[in-house]
């Protein structure tokens, strides 16, 4: 997760490079304007190098942002160059404005350090803010030792210099705290986006969003109506015994992929995988009138997908597989279970238990798809109930109340016309 956050932050930094390049051009423009407005022509040869260099670096940063080039060391290099060139401009501009040599930080151009601090803050790098301010203070100290301390009014000017530097330092500290908080908030946002992305690989967008926002516990559960489907591979245990571990893993991966596709296509969600067993739910988190119909249609599509898979397996010399399905529709309770480390959105209730028992009974009866009468009734008019036959009365394990169950009628034999039959056009 940490690497994903780092990559996310780096992506944000790359996206801000264009803005920072524009800000750097503003710094260059401001210094140039101050330089020429001050009438510092006699000092041009002293500051021209720094002014031109600032313009070059501003242009280079804009080009790098345009082509998308970014490296982690670039912000530190640009901060060093920006502050160094700014300090190099202070002397000539201070002389142009008649500022005493000892009043280094009082030069008008020195106030642009706040813009450089803002540039560092926009990068969401708190330590870069401190580095920029520290570099400026260190440069001031060097200039003071070499130039300012020699001036006759040094003792008089020093308190004002320290005051202005204190403002720079305090601004850097405030920005350090603010940028640190912003960076943590940005990391949390990237982490949450990553979690939502992971969740969306297993759940619908609605459930992924609910898992990301909800608090686990009883308060998150609410009653609703939904269609519940259980899927199982017939004879899986002996089949698995004959497979090597790698072969079994590949089989389950392919099986789950093929079963999950019709579920997702019909608006259902996979509640859980248990070995070769799959529990799918239609109607969470937002129930609709089409849930039961989608579940029944999904069951039919799963068997079509299984038949196609068996054709591929036969071509590869593999044995066919048989999938059994049980579907029930009724009241469930849906909500989030788990703790800070792991969350699970699930549905519980008698409807879930009955759907599981129906799937088990389908296996005992050798039926591919077994649907409860409430599910078939709720599936109208999408599903034609006339195409379904009731199975003989069966008792579901652990259930006292009788429940009518139906299976799809076998396809009718095609009618063959007699040779002497007359066809009348209508």
């Amino acid at each position: 997760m940490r690497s994903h956050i780092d990559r996310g932050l780096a992506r944000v930094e790359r996206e801000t490079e264009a803005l920072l390049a524009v800000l750097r051009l503003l710094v260059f423009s401001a210094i140039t304007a101050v330089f020429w407005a001050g009438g510092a022509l006699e000092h041009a040869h002293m500051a021209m190098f720094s002014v031109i260099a600032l313009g070059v670096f501003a242009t280079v940063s804009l080009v790098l942002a345009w082509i998308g080039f970014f490296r982690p060391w670039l912000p530190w290099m640009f901060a060093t160059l920006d502050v160094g060139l700014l300090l190099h401009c202070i002397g000539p501009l201070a002389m142009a404005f008649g500022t005493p040599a000892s009043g280094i930080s009082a030069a008008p151009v020195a106030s642009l350090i706040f813009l450089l601090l803002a540039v560092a803050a926009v990068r969401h790098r708190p330590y870069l803010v401190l580095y920029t301010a520290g570099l400026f203070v260190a440069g001031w100290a060097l200039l003071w030792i070499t130039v300012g301390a020699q001036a006759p009014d040094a003792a008089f000017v020093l308190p004002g210099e320290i005051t202005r530097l204190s403002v720079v330092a305090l601004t850097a500290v405030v920005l350090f705290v603010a940028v640190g908080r912003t960076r943590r908030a940005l990391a949390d946002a990237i982490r949450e986006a990553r979690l939502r992305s992971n969740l969306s690989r297993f759940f619908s967008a609605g459930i992924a969003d609910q898992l990301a926002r909800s608090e686990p516990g009883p308060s998150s559960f609410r009653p609703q109506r939904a269609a519940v489907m259980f899927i199982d591979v017939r004879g899986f245990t002996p089949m698995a015994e004959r497979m090597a571990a790698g072969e079994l893993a590949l089989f389950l991966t392919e099986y789950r992929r093929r079963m999950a596709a019709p579920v997702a296509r019909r608006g259902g969600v996979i509640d859980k995988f248990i070995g070769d067993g799959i529990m799918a739910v239609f109607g969470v988190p937002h129930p609709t009138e089409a849930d039961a119909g989608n579940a029944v249609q999904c069951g039919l599509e799963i068997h079509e997908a299984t038949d196609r898979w068996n054709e591929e397996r036969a071509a590869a010399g593999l044995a066919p597989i048989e999938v059994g399905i049980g579907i029930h529709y009724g009241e469930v309770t849906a909500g989030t279970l788990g703790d800070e480390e792991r969350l699970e959105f699930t549905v519980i209730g008698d409807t879930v238990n009955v759907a599981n028992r129906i799937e088990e009974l389908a296996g005992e009866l050798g039926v591919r798809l077994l649907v409860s009468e409430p599910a078939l009734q709720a599936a109208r008019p999408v599903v034609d109930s006339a195409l379904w036959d009731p199975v003989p009365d069966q008792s579901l394990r652990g259930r006292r109340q009788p429940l009518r169950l139906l299976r799809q009628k076998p396809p009718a034999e095609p009618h063959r016309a007699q040779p002497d039959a007359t066809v009348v056009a209508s």
Side-chain angles (χ1 to χ4, degrees), residues 38-330:
L41 295 178
E42 65 274 22
H43 306 291
H45 64 282
M46 300 176 61
M48 188 60 68
F49 169 78
S50 297
V51 174
I52 294 175
L54 278 173
V56 170
F57 287 132
T59 305
V60 169
S61 65
L62 191 61
V63 172
L64 292 179
W66 183 70
I67 65 176
F69 179 83
F70 177 80
R71 293 294 184 273
W73 47 264
L74 271 178
W76 303 92
M77 183 191 76
F78 278 125
T80 303
L81 294 173
D82 289 339
V83 174
L85 294 173
L86 175 62
L87 289 169
H88 190 268
C89 289
I90 287 179
L93 290 175
M95 294 167 57
F97 279 88
T99 305
S102 56
I104 299 170
S105 65
V109 74
S111 60
L112 292 178
I113 182 59
F114 296 106
L115 189 53
L116 296 182
L117 291 176
V119 169
V122 171
R123 291 185 182 275
H124 302 289
R125 288 176 174 260
Y127 289 102
L128 185 61
V129 175
L130 294 183
Y131 174 76
T132 302
L135 202 61
F136 181 80
V137 173
W140 171 88
L142 182 61
L143 287 175
W144 178 263
I145 293 172
T146 57
V147 178
Q150 324 259 322
D153 58 348
F156 176 77
V157 174
L158 184 59
E161 288 286 289
I162 294 177
T163 299
R164 284 185 285 270
L165 289 177
S166 299
V167 173
V168 173
L170 288 174
T171 302
V173 171
V174 171
L175 286 176
F176 173 80
V177 174
V179 173
R181 290 169 62 90
T182 303
R183 188 179 179 88
R184 286 192 294 272
L186 183 60
D188 291 340
I190 294 172
R191 185 182 298 106
E192 182 176 352
R194 177 69 182 179
L195 290 175
R196 288 175 183 261
S197 176
N198 287 339
L199 289 173
S200 65
R201 296 171 60 192
F202 303 96
F203 303 101
S204 66
I207 289 185
D209 184 67
Q210 185 162 335
L211 277 174
R213 292 185 292 105
S214 63
E215 292 292 334
S219 61
S220 68
F221 280 84
R222 60 182 179 84
Q224 66 165 91
R225 298 186 70 79
V228 182
M229 170 192 292
F230 277 86
I231 312 169
D232 183 73
V233 177
R234 303 303 184 212
F236 176 74
T237 300
M239 179 191 305
E241 290 178 351
R242 296 191 297 269
M243 292 183 180
E247 185 183 0
L248 179 59
L250 290 175
F251 171 81
L252 286 176
T253 300
E254 184 66 12
Y255 161 69
R256 292 179 176 183
R257 183 184 68 82
R258 291 177 181 263
M259 298 301 103
V263 173
R265 190 163 54 246
R266 286 291 175 177
V269 297
I270 302 295
D271 183 280
K272 57 178 63 69
F273 291 107
I274 309 174
D276 65 311
I278 301 175
M279 174 182 168
V281 186
F282 297 78
V284 292
H286 306 296
T288 68
E289 295 181 355
D291 297 331
N294 284 332
V296 176
Q297 292 285 2
C298 177
L300 298 174
E301 291 177 4
I302 284 177
H303 282 305
E304 292 175 0
T306 303
D307 292 340
R308 291 193 297 270
W309 191 17
N310 280 332
E311 292 176 1
E312 297 175 15
R313 290 176 62 84
L318 300 174
I321 66 167
E322 189 70 29
V323 174
I325 301 174
I327 301 174
H328 187 41
Y329 180 77

Side-chain angles (χ1 to χ4, degrees), residues 15-41:
E15 292 171 354
T16 60
E17 284 305 306
L19 173 62
L20 297 178
V22 172
L23 288 176
R24 189 170 285 107
L25 281 174
L26 289 176
V27 173
F28 164 70
S29 302
I31 291 179
T32 304
V34 170
F35 181 80
W36 291 108
L41 295 178

